[in-house]
Amino acid sequence: MVHRLRLLDDAAWVSVNDAREAGAGELWPATDAGVCDCEPAWLVVQAFVEVGVDGRRIDARAAVQCIECGDEGTTNWLPIGRVDSDGFRPWDGLRRPRP
Amino acid sequence: MPTDVENWKDELYGNEIRDHLFEFAEKGWDAIPEDEHDEWFERFKWWGLYHQRKGQESYFMMRIGTPNGVLEPGQLRVVAEIADEYARGPAENPEFGDAYCDWTTRQSIQLHWIKLEDIPDIFEKLENNGLSAQQACGDSWRNIVGCPVAGKDTHEHIDAWPVAEELHETFKGDDDHVNLPRKWKVSVTGCDQGCGQGDINDLAFEPAEKTVDGETKLGFNVRVGGGLARKEPRFARNIDVWVPEERVTDVAGGLSALFRDHGDRDNRFNARIKFLVDEWGPEKVRKTLQDDYVDFELETAGADLRDQYTYNAGTGEHGDHVGVHEQPDGNYYVGLNVLVGRQGVDDVFELADLADEYGSGEVRLTQRQNIIVTDIPEADLDEFLAEDLLDTYEPDPHPFMRGSIACTGTEFCSLSIVETKNRQVRYARWLKDNVDVPDGVEDFHIHLSGCTASCAQPQIADISLRGMKTRKDGEPVEACDIGLGGGLGENPHFAEWVEMRVAADEVPGYIQNLLSVFEENRQGAESFRDFIERHDADDLTGLAEPEETDYEDPYMHNTKMTWYPYAKDDDFDASPAPTDGEGKPIASADD
């Protein structure tokens, strides 16, 4: 399935098939995000850097800051959600890169 | 590789967007093909329209650019009428009601909850009254800022208002300059106080004297590449150019064209001209301007007036135009403090009446989100100052009220991480009621910006607040990074970021503790800014402790994850958006 993926409004949003699905200000619990050593890290999304798709899973790299340790940086590819026959479903719970 | 935005702009941008916008407006929200939403919303910005954030689909923020903040007689009433009729949303703001006007840090006006279907009528009304939203947003010449009392200022060396007007007339809608790599913010100032804030603009014209062919003339020095966004603040760099008034438009056009041709269109994060100046250096900017973009010999920089700047200089002098001030013609202007720059629409109507009754009807907007009523005869001053409305919008406000600035925040903005306007109102009120103002401090700047875009200009405040998150008692809550000691003046200085991720309800306690430390440890009549500058950055961290007080913050939850932070049921699913031209929810295709 082909999806339209874009970063909008100075990369404040990820648009998936023309709907704003993930945004700056979200707080992600994450592991192996590549930003700090916290387990899990709690990452505030400040802006998105890239968005991509792997099968049904939509991944993004984001400029984040960990609210536990304060480290900031750009994440590895982390999931923002999944697209299935019902449309986009946001990722719930811990986010980790694909193996 | 060019970005999506660049590709969309290549396809269609500038004036011609208007016809499409009006066609969509006539047919209704549903007429915009879903797979074209992103590109049209990007283009609509050029006509001053920002699609509001998630949960508020089909509603727009409209920005009206008022060059130099000047609203001619009658225009304030027009803005109030538009806000009253068209800017009423589906939910009420608990501080400001359900219709209001925002005065911005770039002397513009923002209205919210605008429906697509109403835009042609609004544009007609604006344009019939000499106002416009054209290029108020988007990748082009933005609203031109400057000293808000240009032409009516006893501190003035050159009346910069005609210069700003000419730039506005020349570059609004000019096909050669409509599609720039990124926004282009210009400041023109003719006074000796520095209130044009040229240092934080892409292009600044500042007053300077130059002896040319034996004759000393007044004109402008040129600075390029200032800006605050994205944790990459820069002060505009001196490119060693002086320009007489009659050449300002040529030099401004040359630099705009240089930016158009050499700015980075592959990476929007690197597109502002401040990054080009970083890469090239001021000398190359000057040489390229001379070689390729102007057809006359540029003069070297003249003698500037920066050592006289008092505006936000940390010296205790105001320079912010609040209060009663005499004009050169013997009349007076009165600057009124508008807390966080927002006025309920009934108050705007009343202010328009007062401006008509006591002054010429003209008002002016400042870069500190305030409003000035001009041209009041001396004989009428006392009566004007006794008007009830001035109990709310004071000409002699408390220092914490005077110094408060806030951006739009999560109420409407896609970028913001925290709620701002209502929070800063609550901060200012609590500080006023609970914190002793240090001796001699009459103006204390606290700027709250919801994110690193820095629309509240936090880096040039005494206390800089930038939206963040933290965890408190195990729960994620809204928070602020705190910076200290920023300001402009002869030696501008960005704030030092000293306390990170402070829970939002502990910020007032931190400020209280900090001012107590300042009062105990200042040397003589030392200013707050000098006090901060005297300390090493490392010593500033921990100078005071964040602390819970009896301040209550109703916005600690993640306000971005609501459709509207103040709605009774704020869950995304409770949003009425998108709605039709009557404000009625449009059922989704799945229903």
Side-chain angles (χ1 to χ4, degrees), chain B residues 6 17 78 181 194 229 254 265 271 274 315 364 374 380 412 420 429 449 457 470-471 476-477 480 503 524:
Chain B
E6 283 301 325
I17 298 165
V78 169
R265 290 182 188 262
K274 64 185 176 184
T315 56
R364 297 191 175 195
T374 60
D380 298 334
F412 299 113
T420 53
R429 288 179 185 151
S449 216
Q457 303 170 348
T470 193
R471 269 153 59 94
V477 296
C480 294

Side-chain angles (χ1 to χ4, degrees), chain B residues 184-199:
Chain B
W184 181 247
K185 294 178 172 177
V186 178
S187 167
V188 187
T189 321
C191 80
D192 62 16
Q193 292 191 299
C195 52
Q197 299 198 151
D199 277 323

Side-chain angles (χ1 to χ4, degrees), chain A residues 5-39:
Chain A
L5 304 175
R6 290 197 184 95
L7 305 183
L8 297 178
D9 292 348
D10 299 337
W13 293 105
V14 173
S15 168
V16 180
N17 296 327
D18 311 301
R20 296 178 290 186
E21 301 291 8
E26 290 184 5
L27 194 57
W28 295 350
T31 189
D32 299 330
V35 174
C36 64
D37 296 328
C38 296
E39 283 296 340

Side-chain angles (χ1 to χ4, degrees), chain B residues 350-372:
Chain B
E350 195 177 336
L351 187 60
D353 287 344
L354 295 180
D356 278 340
E357 188 182 340
Y358 290 97
S360 60
E362 179 195 78
V363 300
R364 297 191 175 195
L365 309 177
T366 82
Q367 294 187 65
R368 294 199 57 78
Q369 299 183 324
N370 294 323
I371 195 159
I372 297 168

